Amino acid sequence: MKDIIEFIIEAKQNTYAGKNNQVESSRDGSVDYEYYKGDYKYRDSYVGSKYFSGQEIVWVKDNPYWSMNYVGKVFDEPFSGDFLKEALKRCSTERPYRGPALYEENDYTYLCNVEGDFNWFEGRELIFYKNKQVYELKFNGGVLK
């Protein structure tokens, strides 16, 4: 499982968060990213912008193995997509879902709480600008058996 978790981190850093590997939309109005390495394939697909919903899936040898669903919204400006992407690049093998528990830069603060483990989890991330909440996302997922 360690290899899959490391692949997910690499995929996240090389798709949405890294502003790379955007591919053709898989559904009407979706924005999609894909990343491949060996027997592993990752796809992140979401719809919406200020209010949005999406899903990340990892396949192993063309078989769905892991998935994470998410839904979120931007409450107010000045939300920074670049700040969010910097936080997401900092996911770790202990927390491969979204970003770290805490990340701060300039006037922005990112918080992420997760319950469960890689096999079955749920969580919530928040972004504040000068102590005012500007963003929220809820996520859940796990191994597909």
Side-chain angles (χ1 to χ4, degrees):
M1 186 170 1
K2 181 182 175 194
D3 289 347
I4 292 171
I5 291 172
E6 289 174 354
F7 169 75
I8 290 171
I9 293 167
E10 185 177 316
K12 287 174 178 277
Q13 293 171 341
N14 285 285
T15 53
Y16 175 79
K19 302 178 187 178
N20 291 312
N21 294 304
Q22 187 170 344
V23 296
E24 186 175 331
S25 176
S26 63
R27 300 170 288 177
D28 291 345
S30 71
V31 177
D32 292 39
Y33 295 87
E34 278 190 355
Y35 189 77
Y36 300 88
K37 185 173 186 181
D39 291 333
Y40 301 137
K41 174 185 170 183
Y42 166 92
R43 179 180 280 257
D44 179 8
S45 179
Y46 70 90
V47 293
S49 58
K50 187 172 181 176
Y51 290 74
F52 58 92
S53 176
Q55 182 178 41
E56 297 175 25
I57 301 175
V58 172
W59 289 263
V60 178
K61 296 183 180 179
D62 297 324
N63 295 304
Y65 180 82
W66 181 88
S67 177
M68 180 178 73
N69 300 297
Y70 56 88
V71 61
K73 63 182 176 176
V74 175
F75 286 83
D76 205 354
E77 296 302 325
F79 170 74
S80 170
D82 288 338
F83 172 76
L84 172 60
K85 289 172 183 169
E86 285 302 315
L88 296 178
K89 285 182 195 175
R90 289 164 169 74
C91 61
S92 65
T93 55
E94 297 79 28
R95 299 171 55 93
Y97 323 103
R98 298 291 291 171
L102 172 66
Y103 173 66
E104 296 177 303
E105 185 178 292
N106 299 321
D107 293 323
Y108 288 96
T109 301
Y110 170 94
L111 300 171
C112 184
N113 180 46
V114 180
E115 294 182 18
D117 61 24
F118 183 75
N119 294 300
W120 187 255
F121 61 88
E122 65 182 358
R124 180 173 172 221
E125 70 182 11
L126 306 171
I127 294 178
F128 295 86
Y129 176 76
K130 294 183 178 179
N131 297 319
K132 179 183 175 187
Q133 185 177 352
V134 295
Y135 167 90
E136 177 179 10
L137 179 133
K138 295 179 182 180
F139 59 93
N140 60 31
V143 173
L144 305 170
K145 294 185 179 183

mmCIF file of all heavy atoms in Angstrom, residues 39-79:
data_model
loop_
_atom_site.group_PDB
_atom_site.id
_atom_site.type_symbol
_atom_site.label_atom_id
_atom_site.label_comp_id
_atom_site.label_asym_id
_atom_site.label_seq_id
_atom_site.Cartn_x
_atom_site.Cartn_y
_atom_site.Cartn_z
ATOM 1 N N ASP A 39 1.857 0.702 -13.401
ATOM 2 C CA ASP A 39 0.520 0.111 -13.387
ATOM 3 C C ASP A 39 -0.532 1.024 -12.767
ATOM 4 O O ASP A 39 -1.696 0.638 -12.657
ATOM 5 C CB ASP A 39 0.533 -1.201 -12.593
ATOM 6 C CG ASP A 39 1.299 -2.294 -13.305
ATOM 7 O OD1 ASP A 39 1.382 -2.262 -14.551
ATOM 8 O OD2 ASP A 39 1.825 -3.188 -12.611
ATOM 9 N N TYR A 40 -0.127 2.236 -12.339
ATOM 10 C CA TYR A 40 -1.040 3.129 -11.631
ATOM 11 C C TYR A 40 -1.547 4.245 -12.534
ATOM 12 O O TYR A 40 -0.796 4.830 -13.316
ATOM 13 C CB TYR A 40 -0.348 3.764 -10.425
ATOM 14 C CG TYR A 40 0.183 2.775 -9.417
ATOM 15 C CD1 TYR A 40 1.432 2.958 -8.848
ATOM 16 C CD2 TYR A 40 -0.558 1.665 -9.026
ATOM 17 C CE1 TYR A 40 1.923 2.075 -7.904
ATOM 18 C CE2 TYR A 40 -0.072 0.767 -8.088
ATOM 19 C CZ TYR A 40 1.165 0.977 -7.536
ATOM 20 O OH TYR A 40 1.656 0.092 -6.605
ATOM 21 N N LYS A 41 -2.825 4.562 -12.363
ATOM 22 C CA LYS A 41 -3.448 5.682 -13.073
ATOM 23 C C LYS A 41 -4.269 6.474 -12.066
ATOM 24 O O LYS A 41 -4.972 5.898 -11.233
ATOM 25 C CB LYS A 41 -4.363 5.172 -14.192
ATOM 26 C CG LYS A 41 -5.158 6.263 -14.881
ATOM 27 C CD LYS A 41 -6.131 5.661 -15.897
ATOM 28 C CE LYS A 41 -7.084 6.694 -16.421
ATOM 29 N NZ LYS A 41 -8.071 6.111 -17.347
ATOM 30 N N TYR A 42 -4.196 7.806 -12.143
ATOM 31 C CA TYR A 42 -4.933 8.709 -11.265
ATOM 32 C C TYR A 42 -5.739 9.669 -12.124
ATOM 33 O O TYR A 42 -5.238 10.163 -13.136
ATOM 34 C CB TYR A 42 -3.924 9.484 -10.413
ATOM 35 C CG TYR A 42 -4.467 10.684 -9.680
ATOM 36 C CD1 TYR A 42 -4.938 10.574 -8.380
ATOM 37 C CD2 TYR A 42 -4.464 11.941 -10.269
ATOM 38 C CE1 TYR A 42 -5.402 11.682 -7.690
ATOM 39 C CE2 TYR A 42 -4.933 13.058 -9.594
ATOM 40 C CZ TYR A 42 -5.395 12.919 -8.303
ATOM 41 O OH TYR A 42 -5.853 14.021 -7.625
ATOM 42 N N ARG A 43 -6.978 9.912 -11.734
ATOM 43 C CA ARG A 43 -7.799 10.922 -12.402
ATOM 44 C C ARG A 43 -8.516 11.734 -11.340
ATOM 45 O O ARG A 43 -9.103 11.201 -10.420
ATOM 46 C CB ARG A 43 -8.826 10.328 -13.341
ATOM 47 C CG ARG A 43 -9.684 11.442 -14.003
ATOM 48 C CD ARG A 43 -10.726 10.894 -14.957
ATOM 49 N NE ARG A 43 -10.136 10.577 -16.238
ATOM 50 C CZ ARG A 43 -10.264 11.334 -17.326
ATOM 51 N NH1 ARG A 43 -10.920 12.454 -17.291
ATOM 52 N NH2 ARG A 43 -9.707 10.953 -18.459
ATOM 53 N N ASP A 44 -8.462 13.062 -11.508
ATOM 54 C CA ASP A 44 -9.212 14.008 -10.695
ATOM 55 C C ASP A 44 -10.158 14.716 -11.649
ATOM 56 O O ASP A 44 -9.723 15.269 -12.664
ATOM 57 C CB ASP A 44 -8.260 14.999 -10.030
ATOM 58 C CG ASP A 44 -8.966 16.045 -9.171
ATOM 59 O OD1 ASP A 44 -10.188 15.933 -8.955
ATOM 60 O OD2 ASP A 44 -8.276 16.981 -8.727
ATOM 61 N N SER A 45 -11.453 14.689 -11.358
ATOM 62 C CA SER A 45 -12.462 15.301 -12.218
ATOM 63 C C SER A 45 -13.446 16.078 -11.354
ATOM 64 O O SER A 45 -13.983 15.536 -10.388
ATOM 65 C CB SER A 45 -13.207 14.208 -13.004
ATOM 66 O OG SER A 45 -14.206 14.768 -13.822
ATOM 67 N N TYR A 46 -13.651 17.368 -11.695
ATOM 68 C CA TYR A 46 -14.596 18.158 -10.912
ATOM 69 C C TYR A 46 -15.445 19.037 -11.823
ATOM 70 O O TYR A 46 -15.079 19.316 -12.966
ATOM 71 C CB TYR A 46 -13.883 18.994 -9.848
ATOM 72 C CG TYR A 46 -13.049 20.135 -10.391
ATOM 73 C CD1 TYR A 46 -13.596 21.403 -10.582
ATOM 74 C CD2 TYR A 46 -11.706 19.963 -10.691
ATOM 75 C CE1 TYR A 46 -12.840 22.450 -11.068
ATOM 76 C CE2 TYR A 46 -10.933 20.999 -11.173
ATOM 77 C CZ TYR A 46 -11.507 22.251 -11.356
ATOM 78 O OH TYR A 46 -10.744 23.281 -11.847
ATOM 79 N N VAL A 47 -16.591 19.447 -11.286
ATOM 80 C CA VAL A 47 -17.492 20.371 -11.978
ATOM 81 C C VAL A 47 -17.768 21.539 -11.047
ATOM 82 O O VAL A 47 -17.736 21.401 -9.827
ATOM 83 C CB VAL A 47 -18.815 19.694 -12.411
ATOM 84 C CG1 VAL A 47 -18.552 18.649 -13.475
ATOM 85 C CG2 VAL A 47 -19.533 19.078 -11.233
ATOM 86 N N GLY A 48 -18.050 22.693 -11.651
ATOM 87 C CA GLY A 48 -18.355 23.888 -10.880
ATOM 88 C C GLY A 48 -17.131 24.747 -10.674
ATOM 89 O O GLY A 48 -16.026 24.424 -11.121
ATOM 90 N N SER A 49 -17.328 25.881 -9.996
ATOM 91 C CA SER A 49 -16.200 26.759 -9.673
ATOM 92 C C SER A 49 -16.365 27.331 -8.266
ATOM 93 O O SER A 49 -15.707 26.866 -7.353
ATOM 94 C CB SER A 49 -16.033 27.866 -10.724
ATOM 95 O OG SER A 49 -17.211 28.623 -10.833
ATOM 96 N N LYS A 50 -17.260 28.291 -8.072
ATOM 97 C CA LYS A 50 -17.460 28.827 -6.720
ATOM 98 C C LYS A 50 -18.075 27.754 -5.813
ATOM 99 O O LYS A 50 -17.709 27.618 -4.662
ATOM 100 C CB LYS A 50 -18.333 30.074 -6.756
ATOM 101 C CG LYS A 50 -18.444 30.752 -5.428
ATOM 102 C CD LYS A 50 -19.137 32.094 -5.503
ATOM 103 C CE LYS A 50 -19.175 32.703 -4.101
ATOM 104 N NZ LYS A 50 -19.747 34.030 -4.112
ATOM 105 N N TYR A 51 -19.008 27.018 -6.335
ATOM 106 C CA TYR A 51 -19.551 25.812 -5.697
ATOM 107 C C TYR A 51 -19.143 24.663 -6.598
ATOM 108 O O TYR A 51 -19.381 24.712 -7.805
ATOM 109 C CB TYR A 51 -21.078 25.877 -5.586
ATOM 110 C CG TYR A 51 -21.562 26.901 -4.583
ATOM 111 C CD1 TYR A 51 -21.508 28.265 -4.859
ATOM 112 C CD2 TYR A 51 -22.063 26.498 -3.359
ATOM 113 C CE1 TYR A 51 -21.952 29.197 -3.939
ATOM 114 C CE2 TYR A 51 -22.522 27.424 -2.431
ATOM 115 C CZ TYR A 51 -22.460 28.779 -2.737
ATOM 116 O OH TYR A 51 -22.893 29.698 -1.816
ATOM 117 N N PHE A 52 -18.538 23.613 -6.054
ATOM 118 C CA PHE A 52 -17.975 22.569 -6.898
ATOM 119 C C PHE A 52 -18.058 21.203 -6.237
ATOM 120 O O PHE A 52 -18.233 21.088 -5.022
ATOM 121 C CB PHE A 52 -16.522 22.901 -7.260
ATOM 122 C CG PHE A 52 -15.646 23.065 -6.050
ATOM 123 C CD1 PHE A 52 -14.933 21.989 -5.538
ATOM 124 C CD2 PHE A 52 -15.530 24.294 -5.414
ATOM 125 C CE1 PHE A 52 -14.129 22.130 -4.421
ATOM 126 C CE2 PHE A 52 -14.735 24.443 -4.293
ATOM 127 C CZ PHE A 52 -14.032 23.362 -3.793
ATOM 128 N N SER A 53 -17.917 20.181 -7.063
ATOM 129 C CA SER A 53 -17.934 18.805 -6.595
ATOM 130 C C SER A 53 -17.016 17.992 -7.490
ATOM 131 O O SER A 53 -16.940 18.241 -8.697
ATOM 132 C CB SER A 53 -19.363 18.259 -6.667
ATOM 133 O OG SER A 53 -19.397 16.903 -6.297
ATOM 134 N N GLY A 54 -16.336 17.002 -6.904
ATOM 135 C CA GLY A 54 -15.432 16.209 -7.717
ATOM 136 C C GLY A 54 -15.094 14.872 -7.110
ATOM 137 O O GLY A 54 -15.575 14.504 -6.031
ATOM 138 N N GLN A 55 -14.254 14.163 -7.841
ATOM 139 C CA GLN A 55 -13.836 12.839 -7.415
ATOM 140 C C GLN A 55 -12.432 12.553 -7.924
ATOM 141 O O GLN A 55 -12.091 12.879 -9.058
ATOM 142 C CB GLN A 55 -14.795 11.788 -7.956
ATOM 143 C CG GLN A 55 -14.474 10.375 -7.518
ATOM 144 C CD GLN A 55 -15.479 9.372 -8.042
ATOM 145 O OE1 GLN A 55 -15.907 9.459 -9.193
ATOM 146 N NE2 GLN A 55 -15.852 8.415 -7.214
ATOM 147 N N GLU A 56 -11.637 11.909 -7.070
ATOM 148 C CA GLU A 56 -10.328 11.397 -7.456
ATOM 149 C C GLU A 56 -10.417 9.874 -7.415
ATOM 150 O O GLU A 56 -10.992 9.320 -6.483
ATOM 151 C CB GLU A 56 -9.245 11.864 -6.489
ATOM 152 C CG GLU A 56 -9.067 13.364 -6.460
ATOM 153 C CD GLU A 56 -8.069 13.815 -5.416
ATOM 154 O OE1 GLU A 56 -7.177 13.028 -5.029
ATOM 155 O OE2 GLU A 56 -8.191 14.964 -4.964
ATOM 156 N N ILE A 57 -9.858 9.224 -8.435
ATOM 157 C CA ILE A 57 -9.848 7.764 -8.481
ATOM 158 C C ILE A 57 -8.445 7.299 -8.846
ATOM 159 O O ILE A 57 -7.789 7.905 -9.696
ATOM 160 C CB ILE A 57 -10.851 7.210 -9.521
ATOM 161 C CG1 ILE A 57 -12.263 7.673 -9.201
ATOM 162 C CG2 ILE A 57 -10.801 5.677 -9.559
ATOM 163 C CD1 ILE A 57 -13.284 7.270 -10.244
ATOM 164 N N VAL A 58 -8.014 6.213 -8.211
ATOM 165 C CA VAL A 58 -6.756 5.557 -8.557
ATOM 166 C C VAL A 58 -7.084 4.154 -9.035
ATOM 167 O O VAL A 58 -7.834 3.425 -8.389
ATOM 168 C CB VAL A 58 -5.800 5.497 -7.353
ATOM 169 C CG1 VAL A 58 -4.575 4.653 -7.671
ATOM 170 C CG2 VAL A 58 -5.387 6.900 -6.937
ATOM 171 N N TRP A 59 -6.512 3.799 -10.189
ATOM 172 C CA TRP A 59 -6.638 2.452 -10.738
ATOM 173 C C TRP A 59 -5.287 1.760 -10.609
ATOM 174 O O TRP A 59 -4.237 2.378 -10.787
ATOM 175 C CB TRP A 59 -6.994 2.493 -12.216
ATOM 176 C CG TRP A 59 -8.379 2.931 -12.522
ATOM 177 C CD1 TRP A 59 -9.454 2.132 -12.768
ATOM 178 C CD2 TRP A 59 -8.850 4.271 -12.677
ATOM 179 N NE1 TRP A 59 -10.570 2.895 -13.046
ATOM 180 C CE2 TRP A 59 -10.220 4.214 -13.004
ATOM 181 C CE3 TRP A 59 -8.253 5.534 -12.557
ATOM 182 C CZ2 TRP A 59 -10.999 5.344 -13.218
ATOM 183 C CZ3 TRP A 59 -9.021 6.667 -12.764
ATOM 184 C CH2 TRP A 59 -10.378 6.564 -13.093
ATOM 185 N N VAL A 60 -5.318 0.468 -10.332
ATOM 186 C CA VAL A 60 -4.124 -0.379 -10.336
ATOM 187 C C VAL A 60 -4.378 -1.458 -11.380
ATOM 188 O O VAL A 60 -5.346 -2.217 -11.271
ATOM 189 C CB VAL A 60 -3.851 -1.004 -8.955
ATOM 190 C CG1 VAL A 60 -2.630 -1.917 -9.012
ATOM 191 C CG2 VAL A 60 -3.672 0.082 -7.896
ATOM 192 N N LYS A 61 -3.521 -1.494 -12.401
ATOM 193 C CA LYS A 61 -3.698 -2.438 -13.516
ATOM 194 C C LYS A 61 -5.129 -2.371 -14.066
ATOM 195 O O LYS A 61 -5.793 -3.385 -14.233
ATOM 196 C CB LYS A 61 -3.343 -3.861 -13.096
ATOM 197 C CG LYS A 61 -1.887 -4.037 -12.725
ATOM 198 C CD LYS A 61 -1.568 -5.476 -12.384
ATOM 199 C CE LYS A 61 -0.094 -5.594 -12.019
ATOM 200 N NZ LYS A 61 0.268 -6.954 -11.662
ATOM 201 N N ASP A 62 -5.596 -1.136 -14.301
ATOM 202 C CA ASP A 62 -6.920 -0.868 -14.877
ATOM 203 C C ASP A 62 -8.089 -1.257 -13.991
ATOM 204 O O ASP A 62 -9.238 -1.270 -14.442
ATOM 205 C CB ASP A 62 -7.070 -1.529 -16.258
ATOM 206 C CG ASP A 62 -6.078 -0.966 -17.267
ATOM 207 O OD1 ASP A 62 -5.792 0.246 -17.202
ATOM 208 O OD2 ASP A 62 -5.588 -1.746 -18.100
ATOM 209 N N ASN A 63 -7.848 -1.566 -12.722
ATOM 210 C CA ASN A 63 -8.921 -1.880 -11.778
ATOM 211 C C ASN A 63 -9.042 -0.744 -10.765
ATOM 212 O O ASN A 63 -8.040 -0.346 -10.160
ATOM 213 C CB ASN A 63 -8.636 -3.189 -11.034
ATOM 214 C CG ASN A 63 -8.641 -4.374 -11.966
ATOM 215 O OD1 ASN A 63 -9.611 -4.609 -12.670
ATOM 216 N ND2 ASN A 63 -7.537 -5.110 -11.985
ATOM 217 N N PRO A 64 -10.260 -0.196 -10.555
ATOM 218 C CA PRO A 64 -10.421 0.866 -9.560
ATOM 219 C C PRO A 64 -9.993 0.359 -8.188
ATOM 220 O O PRO A 64 -10.407 -0.727 -7.770
ATOM 221 C CB PRO A 64 -11.912 1.187 -9.581
ATOM 222 C CG PRO A 64 -12.508 0.419 -10.701
ATOM 223 C CD PRO A 64 -11.512 -0.586 -11.172
ATOM 224 N N TYR A 65 -9.147 1.135 -7.495
ATOM 225 C CA TYR A 65 -8.602 0.698 -6.215
ATOM 226 C C TYR A 65 -8.962 1.639 -5.056
ATOM 227 O O TYR A 65 -9.246 1.197 -3.955
ATOM 228 C CB TYR A 65 -7.081 0.565 -6.314
ATOM 229 C CG TYR A 65 -6.453 0.120 -5.022
ATOM 230 C CD1 TYR A 65 -6.433 -1.231 -4.679
ATOM 231 C CD2 TYR A 65 -5.912 1.028 -4.129
ATOM 232 C CE1 TYR A 65 -5.882 -1.652 -3.472
ATOM 233 C CE2 TYR A 65 -5.365 0.620 -2.921
ATOM 234 C CZ TYR A 65 -5.355 -0.725 -2.605
ATOM 235 O OH TYR A 65 -4.816 -1.142 -1.406
ATOM 236 N N TRP A 66 -8.921 2.951 -5.306
ATOM 237 C CA TRP A 66 -9.107 3.949 -4.249
ATOM 238 C C TRP A 66 -9.858 5.131 -4.826
ATOM 239 O O TRP A 66 -9.674 5.475 -5.996
ATOM 240 C CB TRP A 66 -7.736 4.381 -3.744
ATOM 241 C CG TRP A 66 -7.723 5.383 -2.626
ATOM 242 C CD1 TRP A 66 -7.768 5.117 -1.290
ATOM 243 C CD2 TRP A 66 -7.604 6.809 -2.742
ATOM 244 N NE1 TRP A 66 -7.687 6.286 -0.570
ATOM 245 C CE2 TRP A 66 -7.587 7.338 -1.439
ATOM 246 C CE3 TRP A 66 -7.511 7.685 -3.807
ATOM 247 C CZ2 TRP A 66 -7.485 8.699 -1.178
ATOM 248 C CZ3 TRP A 66 -7.414 9.047 -3.559
ATOM 249 C CH2 TRP A 66 -7.399 9.537 -2.251
ATOM 250 N N SER A 67 -10.696 5.746 -4.014
ATOM 251 C CA SER A 67 -11.464 6.896 -4.485
ATOM 252 C C SER A 67 -11.665 7.894 -3.355
ATOM 253 O O SER A 67 -11.737 7.519 -2.181
ATOM 254 C CB SER A 67 -12.827 6.428 -5.006
ATOM 255 O OG SER A 67 -13.613 7.522 -5.406
ATOM 256 N N MET A 68 -11.758 9.170 -3.730
ATOM 257 C CA MET A 68 -12.094 10.227 -2.784
ATOM 258 C C MET A 68 -13.069 11.176 -3.464
ATOM 259 O O MET A 68 -12.812 11.644 -4.570
ATOM 260 C CB MET A 68 -10.853 10.997 -2.334
ATOM 261 C CG MET A 68 -11.190 12.107 -1.345
ATOM 262 S SD MET A 68 -9.751 13.005 -0.746
ATOM 263 C CE MET A 68 -9.341 13.965 -2.198
ATOM 264 N N ASN A 69 -14.187 11.442 -2.807
ATOM 265 C CA ASN A 69 -15.169 12.412 -3.278
ATOM 266 C C ASN A 69 -15.022 13.696 -2.486
ATOM 267 O O ASN A 69 -14.654 13.659 -1.311
ATOM 268 C CB ASN A 69 -16.590 11.863 -3.069
ATOM 269 C CG ASN A 69 -16.798 10.582 -3.824
ATOM 270 O OD1 ASN A 69 -16.730 10.547 -5.032
ATOM 271 N ND2 ASN A 69 -17.023 9.500 -3.086
ATOM 272 N N TYR A 70 -15.332 14.821 -3.122
ATOM 273 C CA TYR A 70 -15.254 16.091 -2.408
ATOM 274 C C TYR A 70 -16.296 17.070 -2.931
ATOM 275 O O TYR A 70 -16.733 16.994 -4.073
ATOM 276 C CB TYR A 70 -13.850 16.697 -2.495
ATOM 277 C CG TYR A 70 -13.326 16.906 -3.895
ATOM 278 C CD1 TYR A 70 -13.579 18.089 -4.594
ATOM 279 C CD2 TYR A 70 -12.549 15.935 -4.529
ATOM 280 C CE1 TYR A 70 -13.076 18.294 -5.873
ATOM 281 C CE2 TYR A 70 -12.047 16.127 -5.801
ATOM 282 C CZ TYR A 70 -12.314 17.308 -6.469
ATOM 283 O OH TYR A 70 -11.826 17.508 -7.742
ATOM 284 N N VAL A 71 -16.701 17.975 -2.052
ATOM 285 C CA VAL A 71 -17.631 19.047 -2.396
ATOM 286 C C VAL A 71 -17.202 20.276 -1.608
ATOM 287 O O VAL A 71 -16.807 20.162 -0.445
ATOM 288 C CB VAL A 71 -19.104 18.652 -2.117
ATOM 289 C CG1 VAL A 71 -19.327 18.349 -0.654
ATOM 290 C CG2 VAL A 71 -20.060 19.706 -2.624
ATOM 291 N N GLY A 72 -17.231 21.421 -2.258
ATOM 292 C CA GLY A 72 -16.766 22.615 -1.571
ATOM 293 C C GLY A 72 -17.366 23.874 -2.126
ATOM 294 O O GLY A 72 -18.124 23.853 -3.104
ATOM 295 N N LYS A 73 -17.002 24.977 -1.466
ATOM 296 C CA LYS A 73 -17.467 26.278 -1.929
ATOM 297 C C LYS A 73 -16.514 27.373 -1.480
ATOM 298 O O LYS A 73 -15.833 27.257 -0.463
ATOM 299 C CB LYS A 73 -18.871 26.576 -1.448
ATOM 300 C CG LYS A 73 -19.037 26.673 0.052
ATOM 301 C CD LYS A 73 -20.497 26.928 0.401
ATOM 302 C CE LYS A 73 -20.703 26.926 1.902
ATOM 303 N NZ LYS A 73 -22.077 27.272 2.244
ATOM 304 N N VAL A 74 -16.487 28.420 -2.285
ATOM 305 C CA VAL A 74 -15.752 29.627 -1.955
ATOM 306 C C VAL A 74 -16.770 30.585 -1.342
ATOM 307 O O VAL A 74 -17.765 30.922 -1.985
ATOM 308 C CB VAL A 74 -15.097 30.248 -3.208
ATOM 309 C CG1 VAL A 74 -14.450 31.572 -2.866
ATOM 310 C CG2 VAL A 74 -14.090 29.279 -3.819
ATOM 311 N N PHE A 75 -16.547 30.986 -0.096
ATOM 312 C CA PHE A 75 -17.478 31.870 0.594
ATOM 313 C C PHE A 75 -17.331 33.309 0.142
ATOM 314 O O PHE A 75 -18.309 34.023 -0.007
ATOM 315 C CB PHE A 75 -17.223 31.854 2.113
ATOM 316 C CG PHE A 75 -17.677 30.615 2.792
ATOM 317 C CD1 PHE A 75 -16.884 29.489 2.809
ATOM 318 C CD2 PHE A 75 -18.888 30.567 3.434
ATOM 319 C CE1 PHE A 75 -17.287 28.343 3.455
ATOM 320 C CE2 PHE A 75 -19.301 29.434 4.090
ATOM 321 C CZ PHE A 75 -18.504 28.317 4.105
ATOM 322 N N ASP A 76 -16.085 33.735 0.021
ATOM 323 C CA ASP A 76 -15.857 35.164 -0.135
ATOM 324 C C ASP A 76 -14.474 35.387 -0.722
ATOM 325 O O ASP A 76 -13.620 34.506 -0.715
ATOM 326 C CB ASP A 76 -15.958 35.830 1.243
ATOM 327 C CG ASP A 76 -16.337 37.293 1.172
ATOM 328 O OD1 ASP A 76 -16.419 37.848 0.049
ATOM 329 O OD2 ASP A 76 -16.545 37.901 2.231
ATOM 330 N N GLU A 77 -14.253 36.546 -1.212
ATOM 331 C CA GLU A 77 -12.927 36.966 -1.646
ATOM 332 C C GLU A 77 -12.235 37.584 -0.434
ATOM 333 O O GLU A 77 -12.903 38.049 0.481
ATOM 334 C CB GLU A 77 -13.045 37.973 -2.796
ATOM 335 C CG GLU A 77 -13.665 37.390 -4.053
ATOM 336 C CD GLU A 77 -12.914 36.192 -4.626
ATOM 337 O OE1 GLU A 77 -11.668 36.166 -4.548
ATOM 338 O OE2 GLU A 77 -13.573 35.274 -5.115
ATOM 339 N N PRO A 78 -10.947 37.568 -0.368
ATOM 340 C CA PRO A 78 -10.018 37.180 -1.419
ATOM 341 C C PRO A 78 -9.569 35.729 -1.298
ATOM 342 O O PRO A 78 -8.505 35.451 -0.755
ATOM 343 C CB PRO A 78 -8.861 38.136 -1.229
ATOM 344 C CG PRO A 78 -8.835 38.394 0.256
ATOM 345 C CD PRO A 78 -10.256 38.274 0.721
ATOM 346 N N PHE A 79 -10.345 34.809 -1.794
ATOM 347 C CA PHE A 79 -9.909 33.419 -1.894
ATOM 348 C C PHE A 79 -8.752 33.355 -2.876
ATOM 349 O O PHE A 79 -8.740 34.042 -3.889
ATOM 350 C CB PHE A 79 -11.058 32.530 -2.393
ATOM 351 C CG PHE A 79 -10.610 31.146 -2.739
ATOM 352 C CD1 PHE A 79 -10.291 30.236 -1.753
ATOM 353 C CD2 PHE A 79 -10.484 30.761 -4.063
ATOM 354 C CE1 PHE A 79 -9.863 28.954 -2.069
ATOM 355 C CE2 PHE A 79 -10.058 29.478 -4.390
ATOM 356 C CZ PHE A 79 -9.745 28.584 -3.401
#
